[in-house]
Amino acid sequence: MTTLAALHGVRVLELGEGVSAAFCAKLFADYGAEVLKVEKPGCGDVTRHWGPYPGDLPHLEKSGTYFCLNTSKQGITLDLGTTRGQEIVKALLADVDVLIENNAPARMKAWGLDYATLAAIKPELIMISLTPFGQSGPYADWKGYDLNAFHLTGAGSRYCGRMGEAPLEQGTHAADYFGAYVAATWGMAAVFGVEQSGGEHIDVSCAEAVAALFVGGQNIGACAQNGYVGKRTGVGMPLAAPATILPCKDGYVWMLALEKGQWRGLVRAMGDPEWARLDLFDDMFERAQNADLIYSMMDEWLRAHTKQEIMDLCQQHGCPSTAVYDIRDAGDHPHLRERGYLVELEHPVIGRAVTLGAPVRLPDAPGGPREAAPLLGQHNADVFRERLGLGAAEIAALERAGTI
């Protein structure tokens, strides 16, 4: 029996640049939605120019970022700044369920593609708008990117960097990815609730997504209620030990043993050294007071073992310590491969390449990428002919005019 994908039959139109809209649309595509991505004629999506590239040689069709974000999509080119391009978008909406975009609100309005305009044409449309600051408020039309959104929340000051030193920027595109997850979740909910609620404009501020997920009530609530401002602590947890990243034979491990049973498991993993048998160390707060001593005593054992050996030993004895993998480790990890999370796809220019599978498992419809990311304008002829009924001469005229 053929199993239908969870979002089989759902059609999505993606109008965006960069990460947030593309990743949100990819999540729909992973679970069977038919996603049509619109890119600028000639240059394509900005991620085509980011790399990384095989052999570090820039190529419009070989960007790893673009490849990962756009699997299982169809791709067309269209100049949204032209009247004809805007007309084509509106025509495509006739059989589209969801529109995903991450443009500035003022730009969408100038194009005549804002929600109010499109909802008048198609009231049942679900439109997902991802921006750094949201569709309203004094910053709505400000120029902003991922790091602007992230640091607006206080998360950078709270978590990134060492205590007493300058805060650091967060890892690449965290706000974009978290915002996309939030958007996809509520977008899918709206798809299944459209008959009850009708069309929706889902306004996602990536900054607010990070505020909820990274900072949350524990920090913002405490500040609002009693003025307490949480501070970054650098590496590790100062109130307990061991709870930090430590060097080992071939890299680093995240050593974590808070509860009494975890600590005793770590002691067994280390071979039950005499120094670790003190009853004093059964209390994690006492261990925190003696963290420097404990870490120095652990050093010889750590440096005699690889990160994988340490992780395996600790897990065997009930201690949740973990190897700190680098990208090479993660990219060929047997656990991820066995779960089918590392997927190989054939690309007409790159060849066979590895990408990431579905991040959430549905037992009866597991999902994941099925096809490589599209070439620039790969589906122009098919889409304009089959979905819009344009003839070869009309398509050629659009190409000559630079509209597609």
Side-chain angles (χ1 to χ4, degrees), residues 22 86 94 138 142 157 285 315 402:
Q86 295 153 15
W142 279 28
S157 176
F285 301 111
Q315 291 290 336

Side-chain angles (χ1 to χ4, degrees), residues 55-77:
D56 204 25
L57 299 173
H59 190 292
L60 204 62
E61 302 293 357
K62 294 185 177 182
S63 165
T65 303
Y66 180 87
F67 181 87
C68 186
L69 287 170
N70 293 288
T71 50
S72 304
K73 299 178 185 179
Q74 291 184 309
I76 64 170
T77 54

Side-chain angles (χ1 to χ4, degrees), residues 71-131:
T71 50
S72 304
K73 299 178 185 179
Q74 291 184 309
I76 64 170
T77 54
L78 190 61
D79 186 351
L80 301 180
T82 65
T83 300
R84 185 65 178 122
Q86 295 153 15
E87 291 172 349
I88 289 173
V89 167
K90 292 172 182 175
L92 287 168
L93 288 178
D95 61 359
V96 162
D97 302 292
V98 182
L99 171 63
I100 300 173
E101 61 90 15
N102 63 356
N103 301 286
R107 177 173 294 178
M108 291 296 284
K109 191 167 185 178
W111 286 341
L113 300 176
D114 55 296
Y115 179 71
T117 300
L118 298 182
I121 299 170
K122 185 167 185 172
E124 69 274 25
L125 177 68
I126 295 163
M127 181 167 170
I128 301 172
S129 295
L130 288 132
T131 56

